[in-house]
Structures are given as structure tokens and as C-alpha cells.
Amino acid sequence: MVVHAALILLFAGCSDSVDQPGATPWAPSTTQAPGDRWADKITTGDGGAVAAPGFNTHIDATAPAWAESADSTLAELLGLTRQFDGPISVLLRRENGADNPVLTATLTKLGDDSVNAMRYRIVLRRADDGRFRFVEGKLTTRCQTGRGHQTFETTRCS
């Protein structure tokens, strides 16, 4: 199923709180890194698995400057550089070293009557050319009160 970029953010482990230790408020740069944009969108499958068809191939073919930073690679992957309809809030947590970062982004204030927050956990790898590539990811959601689970899970909200 294609996940609309407006509702996307990174997943972390299951947690009762939207806040995570080590997560900080984050916003993409107001000046986009130069380079060809990735025209496609991520997809999610069973168990919240994230796929990014053509993402790494695009980086290989165009060598965009945005792929030189883990944060801007994440923003491009998730479509976070575009305008949103409302005041979406993003928390970002970084784990691991600079060459194999695990980035967890939590999106709140989605304006959705059933989903309270979305969380993506994205694993990147720095290649020999210095640019980051997508390795794997997972999406979980936390439902609004009375609309389902109150922890980050892969099951749908009602």
C-alpha cells in the first residue's frame, strides 16, 4: 500500500509516549539541498515494512547533494521537504554511527481523526561515494483516544 507522504514519519520501537529519550524537534532545511528530486514515494507492506522502490537507483544515477546528509536523505525519502496542510510536528532521534545511522522520526499534529502519531524507523548506509542509501524501515502508528491502540504498533487505527 502506498503511504501518502503527508502522513509519513519514521518508526521507532513500541512506546507509550510520543516523546523518546534523545529525540529532538526537527524541521527540514528551509533551503533544499541541490540535486534531482526523487519522484516516487515509499510503500508499506505487511508488518509495517517500508520499501523505497527506485530510491537507491535514483541516488546512483543522479548523485544528488541531498544524499550526502543523513537528515536530508531521510527528508527526501519521506517527502518531508514539501508543504503540509497543517502544523505537523517532527521529532527526530539518531542512533548508531555516522556511516550506518538509524533515524527515528515521529510525526504528530497530523490533523487525522484516527491516527495520533506516525513513527518511522529508517536504517541508512553511507556508500563508498559518501552518499547515503536506504537499507530498511518500519512504520508504526499510535491511534487517537478511543480509535484503537495507544502504543506504537503496525495495526490500523479505527
Side-chain angles (χ1 to χ4, degrees):
M1 160 175 118
V2 174
V3 176
H4 193 283
L7 298 178
I8 295 180
L9 228 341
L10 303 171
F11 149 88
C14 294
S15 169
D16 289 34
S17 173
V18 171
D19 294 323
Q20 296 177 44
T24 57
W26 178 83
S29 172
T30 56
T31 58
Q32 287 188 355
D36 290 325
R37 310 311 322 167
W38 181 51
D40 293 322
K41 294 181 179 162
I42 63 169
T43 61
T44 56
D46 293 338
V50 172
F55 187 75
N56 292 339
T57 303
H58 177 76
I59 294 170
D60 292 341
T62 64
W66 52 258
E68 295 171 4
S69 158
D71 285 10
S72 59
T73 301
L74 172 68
E76 185 70 23
L77 178 72
L78 298 178
L80 298 176
T81 57
R82 64 172 194 66
Q83 294 292 320
F84 289 94
D85 293 337
I88 290 176
S89 174
V90 178
L91 293 174
L92 181 64
R93 178 177 157 202
R94 296 169 187 85
E95 301 173 47
N96 287 3
D99 290 336
N100 297 297
V102 177
L103 301 169
T104 302
T106 305
L107 229 60
T108 61
K109 301 180 184 176
L110 300 170
D112 188 301
D113 65 345
S114 60
V115 177
N116 174 271
M118 298 181 84
R119 184 173 281 172
Y120 280 87
R121 181 179 187 272
I122 301 294
V123 179
L124 300 176
R125 173 188 51 81
R126 187 189 306 267
D128 292 340
D129 65 1
R131 290 180 178 82
F132 287 93
R133 304 305 194 280
F134 173 76
V135 176
E136 65 183 0
K138 188 168 185 178
L139 166 67
T140 58
T141 59
R142 178 178 172 175
C143 303
Q144 296 284 8
T145 303
R147 300 300 300 264
H149 50 85
Q150 297 299 294
T151 57
F152 285 95
E153 300 178 19
T154 58
T155 55
R156 291 180 164 245
C157 299
S158 58

